Amino acid sequence: MGELMTRDVVDRIISTVKNEFEKLPKLNIMLLGKTGVGKSTLINSIFGDSLVRTGIGKPVTSDIVRVEKKDFPLALYDTPGLELKGDNAFVSLSDQVINVITECFTDDIEGNEIHCILYCVNTASHRFEPSEGAFLKRIADKIKGYNVPVIIVLTQAFSRKDAEELKRVIEQENLPVSAIIPVLAQDYPISDELSKRAYGIDDLAEIMSQILPEAIQNTFIALEKANLNLKIRRARAIVTTAATGAAAAGAIPLPVADAAVLVPDQIAMLAGITAAFGFPVDKGTLMTVISGTIGSAGATVLGRTVVSNLLKLIPGAGSAAGGVISGATAAAITFALGEVYIQILIQVSKGEMNMTDLSTDEGREKISKMFVEAIKLGARAAKKNNEG
Ligand SMILES: Nc1nc2c(ncn2[C@@H]2O[C@H](COP(=O)(O)OP(=O)(O)OP(=O)(O)O)[C@@H](O)[C@H]2O)c(=O)[nH]1
Ligand SMILES: [Mg+2]
C-alpha cells in the first residue's frame, strides 16, 4: 500500500514538474565572437552538451542563426564561422545585431526579447582590437532603450595571467558591459599527463543569474549545469516559502506513517526543488530519490522519524493531539522534508550518492539522521520566526 502511495506522490510531483517546465519562459541568449573562440564550447559547458550538437539552427540574418531544441526553453542566437576581419565586418555584424534585437523587442510576440549578449574574445589571441570596442559601443548605443546586458567572456583562458592582463586592457576602454569574465570552459591538455582544469564557468553562471531579468531566472537556474550553488540557493528559498506557508496555514494532519499525507503545498515544494535542480524528469530516478526521501512501502522514514522524535525535537509538539499538529511543527516538518530532499539531490548531483544507496538499510538510516538534524534546524527557525 505504501509503495502505491509513494508512486502516487511521485506521479503528482512529476506532473507538477512537467507543468513547471512547460510554464518556464524561454531564455534568449545572443552569442557573438570570431570563429573558433569557443562559443559553442562555452554554451555546452553552461547548459550541458546537447544543445549545440542536437539543436536545430535557422538563419535569422546572413551571420546570425537561431538554435533551438524541442522542449528546451532556450533560444541561442549564434554567430558561427565568422572571420570578422577589419572594421567592415564588425559594422555589418553590428547592423545585424541591432536589427535582430530591435525586432525581437518590437514584434509584439511575448518572450522573444534577447535577455543577454555574451561577447567572446579568445584570451590566447592577447588582443582586443579597436574595432571590437567600437562594435560593442555602437550596439550599446543603438539598443540603449532595451537594457540588454553584455558580458565579455575571455575564452580559452588557460593562462590566468594573460586573462587578467587582457581584462585590464579591455577595462581601460570603459565599455558599456556588465562584466568581463575569464573562462576555461573545458580542461586544457598541457601534456600527456597534465591538463589545466576548467574554471570560471560557475562565476559566469553566477553573474548571468544576477543580470538576467527576474522573470527569466527560474529558467536559467533550471537549465544551467555550471553552478550548483545557484540551484541550492533557489531550492532553499522555495523551502523557506513553503515552511512559512505551512506555519501560516496552521494545523495540518500529523504524517502518521505515510507519504500520502503530504499536503499539496509540500508536493509543490518538492516539484519546485526538482525543477531548480533541472533533474531529469525520468520517472524511475525520481521515484527512487523521492521514496528515498519520504520512504516507501508503508513505513516512511519521514513518518517514523517525525513520530518518534517529535516530542524530543520540538518542544510543545505534545499538542499534536487528535492527529493534528501546530503551525510551528508543520513548518519544521515541511522545512525538514525540503532540506533533506535538497541534500539528497546535492549528493546525487555530485555523484556522492547513487540510486542504489538510497534504498539500502544504511541509506535509510542516513536519511533518517538527516531528518532528525533538519527537523531540529527547522524547529529552531520556526521558534526564531515566532519570537521575531
Ligand atoms: N581545451 C579547451 N578547448 C577549447 C575551449 N574552448 C574552445 N576550445 C576548442 O577550440 C575549438 C573551437 O571551439 P568552438 O567552441 O567550436 O568555437 P566557436 O566559437 O563555436 O567556433 P565557430 O562556431 O566556428 O564560430 C574547438 O576545438 C574547441 O575544442 C576550452 O575552454 N578548452
Ligand atoms: Mg560554434
Side-chain angles (χ1 to χ4, degrees), residues 29-31 38-52 74 76 78 118 120 185 201 204 208:
I29 295 180
M30 187 175 268
L31 197 57
K39 298 184 293 296
S40 302
T41 309
L42 179 73
I43 287 299
N44 286 344
S45 68
I46 302 175
F47 296 106
D49 66 352
S50 63
L51 181 82
V52 177
L74 174 68
L76 195 64
D78 193 8
L118 301 178
C120 299
I201 290 289
L204 176 61
M208 286 176 76

Side-chain angles (χ1 to χ4, degrees), residues 42-342:
L42 179 73
I43 287 299
N44 286 344
S45 68
I46 302 175
F47 296 106
D49 66 352
S50 63
L51 181 82
V52 177
R53 240 191 288 143
T54 57
I56 298 170
K58 278 199 194 120
V60 182
T61 66
S62 59
D63 293 328
I64 301 175
V65 188
R66 186 174 63 232
V67 184
E68 287 177 285
K69 203 176 125 182
K70 201 170 168 293
D71 299 327
F72 200 74
L74 174 68
L76 195 64
Y77 289 74
D78 193 8
T79 47
L82 279 193
E83 292 296 338
L84 285 177
K85 286 210 174 90
D87 293 355
N88 285 344
F90 277 106
V91 171
S92 159
L93 181 62
S94 64
D95 283 341
Q96 295 173 51
V97 170
I98 292 160
N99 281 342
V100 168
I101 290 181
T102 308
E103 200 174 310
C104 73
F105 274 94
T106 52
D107 66 2
D108 284 338
I109 304 174
E110 212 188 318
N112 255 8
E113 308 84 354
I114 305 280
H115 299 112
C116 101
I117 296 176
L118 301 178
Y119 182 77
C120 299
V121 180
N122 186 341
T123 308
S125 73
H126 297 283
R127 266 190 326 175
F128 187 76
E129 293 164 24
S131 42
E132 295 184 84
F135 167 79
L136 291 173
K137 280 181 181 153
R138 183 158 189 266
I139 292 174
D141 187 49
K142 290 277 162 57
I143 60 167
K144 248 198 306 251
Y146 303 126
N147 285 327
V148 186
V150 177
I151 297 175
I152 297 183
V153 183
L154 306 180
T155 55
Q156 308 195 40
F158 347 103
S159 159
R160 285 188 194 245
K161 190 168 148 280
D162 287 355
E164 283 311 312
E165 215 165 285
L166 185 58
K167 185 174 170 177
R168 267 195 299 277
V169 168
I170 299 175
E171 272 167 356
Q172 278 162 14
E173 299 220 12
N174 274 324
L175 298 169
V177 299
S178 302
I180 305 171
I181 315 265
V183 160
L184 182 61
Q186 261 178 13
D187 292 356
Y188 178 71
I190 299 167
S191 67
D192 284 349
E193 291 84 30
L194 267 181
S195 65
K196 170 86 191 160
R197 288 285 298 277
Y199 72 91
I201 290 289
D202 51 346
D203 297 333
L204 176 61
E206 176 76 51
I207 297 280
M208 286 176 76
S209 81
Q210 285 168 20
I211 62 168
L212 286 171
E214 184 63 35
I216 211 74
Q217 291 195 359
N218 277 341
T219 305
F220 180 69
I221 289 170
L223 298 186
E224 64 91 13
K225 300 210 163 20
N227 190 328
L228 192 58
N229 285 334
L230 292 178
K231 295 175 184 295
I232 297 170
R233 243 188 277 149
R234 178 53 51 111
R236 293 215 159 115
I238 292 170
V239 173
T240 304
T241 307
T244 310
I252 59 162
L254 181 67
V256 193
D258 238 304
V261 298
L262 288 190
V263 298
D265 283 351
Q266 290 171 328
I267 304 251
M269 173 185 75
L270 295 182
I273 296 169
T274 312
F277 274 82
F279 216 65
V281 194
D282 150 340
K283 210 166 165 172
T285 310
L286 207 53
M287 177 81 193
T288 313
V289 175
I290 291 169
S291 37
T293 310
I294 58 185
S296 66
T300 77
V301 183
L302 173 63
R304 270 187 309 180
T305 310
V306 167
V307 172
S308 59
N309 289 287
L310 208 52
L311 292 170
K312 257 187 294 172
L313 296 172
I314 309 174
S319 56
V324 175
I325 54 175
S326 75
T329 309
I333 290 170
T334 301
F335 173 87
L337 175 65
E339 183 57 31
V340 170
Y341 188 51
I342 290 172

